[in-house]
Amino acid sequence: MEIINTSGRRKTSVARIYVTAGQGNITINGKDIKAYFPNEVLQTIVNQPFQTLDLIGKYDVTANLKGGGVSGQAEALRLAIAKALVVENAESKSALRKEGFITRDPRMVERKKFGRRKARRSFQFSKR
C-alpha cells in the first residue's frame, strides 16, 4: 500500500493527513496523539473510523492540523481518516457513512452583524 493523502475540515480547522500501512501510530504536528490530545474523549473521536472497521493498529497516520480549537481539530482529523479508509477500500464507505464519518459538518460560526452585540443577540434594551 502506498501513501494515501486526504484532508478533512470542521469549523475553521483543517486536517491534512498521510496514511500508510503500519503499527497504528498517529503523529499530529510532530507529536504523538496522547501528547497532542491529552483528553481521552478526543482520542476516541479520532480513532472512531478505525474502531468501526476493526482496523486499529493497521495504519500509521501523520497529520498536519491547523486552525480552530481542539474538538474541531479532532473531528477534522476523523473526517480525513474516514476519507482515507474509503480510498483504501471502497466497500467500507457504507459502514462509515452509517456512523456519519463521511459527511462534512457544514456548521460554521455566524458572523457578527453591526448594530447587534453578537450575530443575533441585540444590545440590552433600555426603556428610559
Side-chain angles (χ1 to χ4, degrees), residues 57-78:
K58 299 262 173 63
Y59 296 104
D60 285 348
V61 178
T62 309
N64 289 312
L65 284 178
K66 256 170 56 179
V70 284
S71 92
Q73 286 189 346
E75 291 182 27
L77 185 53
R78 179 178 74 181

Side-chain angles (χ1 to χ4, degrees), residues 68-117:
V70 284
S71 92
Q73 286 189 346
E75 291 182 27
L77 185 53
R78 179 178 74 181
L79 175 63
I81 289 171
K83 280 174 154 180
L85 293 175
V86 168
V87 170
E88 172 64 18
N89 180 10
E91 282 90 66
S92 60
K93 187 169 186 172
S94 58
L96 291 170
R97 184 170 295 288
K98 202 173 83 196
E99 298 293 324
F101 301 149
I102 301 290
T103 312
R104 152 75 156 108
D105 192 338
R107 295 177 296 175
M108 297 287 277
V109 176
E110 193 175 337
R111 80 173 198 85
K112 185 199 173 299
K113 319 298 191 297
F114 52 87
R116 301 250 166 182
R117 207 172 85 188

Side-chain angles (χ1 to χ4, degrees), residues 30-45:
K31 294 181 183 174
D32 186 60
I33 186 170
K34 288 182 174 55
Y36 197 87
F37 293 129
N39 187 342
E40 199 70 38
V41 175
L42 296 175
Q43 290 175 30
T44 310
I45 285 174

Side-chain angles (χ1 to χ4, degrees), residues 9-20:
R9 295 168 64 190
R10 169 79 170 96
K11 293 189 177 180
T12 55
S13 305
V14 180
R16 295 174 298 145
I17 69 163
Y18 303 92
V19 178
T20 54

